[in-house]
């Protein structure tokens, strides 16, 4: 005769595993939005010979476009936007005037979106690795 005693402890047993996994997903969204916001800020930052050279630095731009960019994270939803600035589509290169002028836009949001899609697996993997460590009792 033998006896077996099984004791279940940890996130899988106590029901907190779904919360840990959801938090990892939320952290992934937050990290991606922060990366995207930083990248857009870099792209819209004053340059020595660019349209974004600020007025204080001798340029004509007031920095209004960058000031109107903002990011938001709610649960598993992240957003980076230019707040609907009227000349935003023209700067991006998707406005109707881009077809009639030589200026084809900077494509800052498109390029950032493509870059974030490339970064997403790495960012998610980091968060999932942390969540697995917590699920394993670490």
């Amino acid at each position: 005769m033998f006896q077996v005693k099984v004791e279940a402890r940890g996130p899988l047993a106590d029901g907190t595993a779904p919360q840990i996994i959801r938090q990892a997903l939320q952290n992934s969204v937050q990290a991606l939005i922060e990366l995207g916001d930083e990248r857009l800020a870099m792209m819209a930052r004053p340059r020595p010979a660019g349209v974004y050279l600020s007025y204080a630095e001798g340029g004509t731009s007031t920095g209004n476009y960058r000031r109107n960019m903002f990011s938001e994270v709610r649960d598993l939803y992240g957003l980076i936007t230019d707040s609907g600035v009227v000349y935003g589509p023209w700067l991006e290169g998707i406005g109707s005037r881009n077809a009639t002028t030589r200026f084809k836009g900077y494509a800052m949001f498109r390029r950032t979106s493509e870059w974030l899609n490339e970064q997403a697996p790495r960012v998610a993997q980091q968060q999932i690795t942390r969540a697995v460590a917590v699920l394993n009792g670490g």
Side-chain angles (χ1 to χ4, degrees):
M1 181 168 120
F2 63 92
Q3 277 187 310
V4 176
K5 181 180 179 182
V6 177
E7 185 178 329
R9 288 182 281 134
L12 291 175
D14 67 17
T16 59
Q19 295 165 338
I20 293 169
I21 293 168
R22 186 168 191 82
Q23 185 62 48
L25 294 172
Q26 289 171 337
N27 292 344
S28 296
V29 171
Q30 180 69 40
L32 285 168
I33 292 298
E34 288 172 5
L35 284 172
D37 201 30
E38 289 172 15
R39 185 171 171 96
L40 281 170
M42 244 179 19
M43 294 171 95
R45 190 164 283 139
R47 298 186 180 122
V51 67
Y52 289 109
L53 192 61
S54 73
Y55 183 77
E57 297 178 36
T60 58
S61 173
T62 61
N64 184 57
Y65 190 62
R66 176 61 191 126
R67 278 194 308 274
N68 280 290
M69 288 182 192
F70 82 95
S71 60
E72 174 183 17
V73 176
R74 276 190 262 151
D75 199 28
L76 299 177
Y77 172 78
L79 170 73
I80 304 174
T81 181
D82 67 358
S83 306
V85 172
V86 70
Y87 51 88
W90 179 72
L91 286 177
E92 186 64 17
I94 59 172
S96 60
R97 296 200 58 170
N98 293 102
T100 61
T101 65
R102 287 187 349 190
F103 180 66
K104 298 305 173 199
Y106 294 114
M108 291 185 294
F109 281 90
R110 179 184 54 81
R111 292 189 339 223
T112 299
S113 174
E114 291 169 356
W115 181 78
L116 285 174
N117 283 330
E118 293 170 5
Q119 302 305 309
R122 178 186 58 80
V123 170
Q125 184 62 48
Q126 289 172 344
Q127 297 301 326
I128 289 168
T129 301
R130 289 181 188 138
V132 168
V134 172
L135 289 170
N136 285 331

